[in-house]
Amino acid sequence: MQALLELDCIPSGMELFPAANEDQWTLIRGVIDDCDYYVVVIGGRYGSVGRTGISYTQMEYEYAVSQNKPIIAFYTKTWSVAANKCEKSQEGREKLERFRAMAQEKMCRFWTSPADLGSVVSRSLVKLIKTHPAVGWVRADLLPDQSAAEEMLRLRKRVENWKTLWEHHLLEPSIYPKAKRLLH
């Protein structure tokens, strides 16, 4: 989290989700839809499993892929995770290994310690932002006010009307040269 905050990113993980009136998966999908990038950290546990038998983390990952979100996965080898932070069951370990293999099909980086993870996340996210620029958040005081938005909409409609007239050759022939310059 600290590495993301230092990059002026606004992280949103399940641990930060509020209590809400909607089901957990609906809330998660909405958060992913609002994000510019999807970052997943895969440690020694598969994670909380939903009704489908797939962990929420894997469902999030698969959903982000389906929404064409730029994704970076960070994973650690099980041997570098303390035993009390590893998957206990054979089934859980197998699911975790399949999920890791899936994540490694996209951009994926390996980490060995919490300090290393922060460093790897920072470097990787800077590169991802450069290669896949996104809208991000915009300060409310930089948004156009209602009258400016209405004027832009009015002008856009006017341009569309002129384009329609131009395409259907309904303009007065004497204004073709001027219209051609304005519309192209």
Side-chain angles (χ1 to χ4, degrees), residues 145-158:
D145 64 15
Q146 175 105 13
S147 63
E150 288 171 355
E151 177 68 5
M152 286 187 282
L153 183 59
R154 186 186 67 74
L155 291 171
R156 181 176 289 139
K157 286 179 181 176
R158 192 169 177 191

Side-chain angles (χ1 to χ4, degrees), residues 109-142:
R109 297 292 308 262
F110 174 72
W111 58 278
T112 56
S113 69
D116 184 41
L117 176 61
S119 175
V120 173
V121 166
S122 295
R123 288 191 315 269
S124 300
L125 195 55
V126 165
K127 184 170 182 160
L128 184 65
I129 291 168
K130 282 183 181 179
T131 58
H132 295 87
V135 175
W137 292 91
V138 179
R139 291 175 49 109
D141 62 344
L142 298 177

Side-chain angles (χ1 to χ4, degrees), residues 9 57 70 74 88 114 122 166 172 177:
C9 294
T57 305
F74 300 95
K88 303 285 185 246
S122 295
W166 172 260
E172 183 66 36

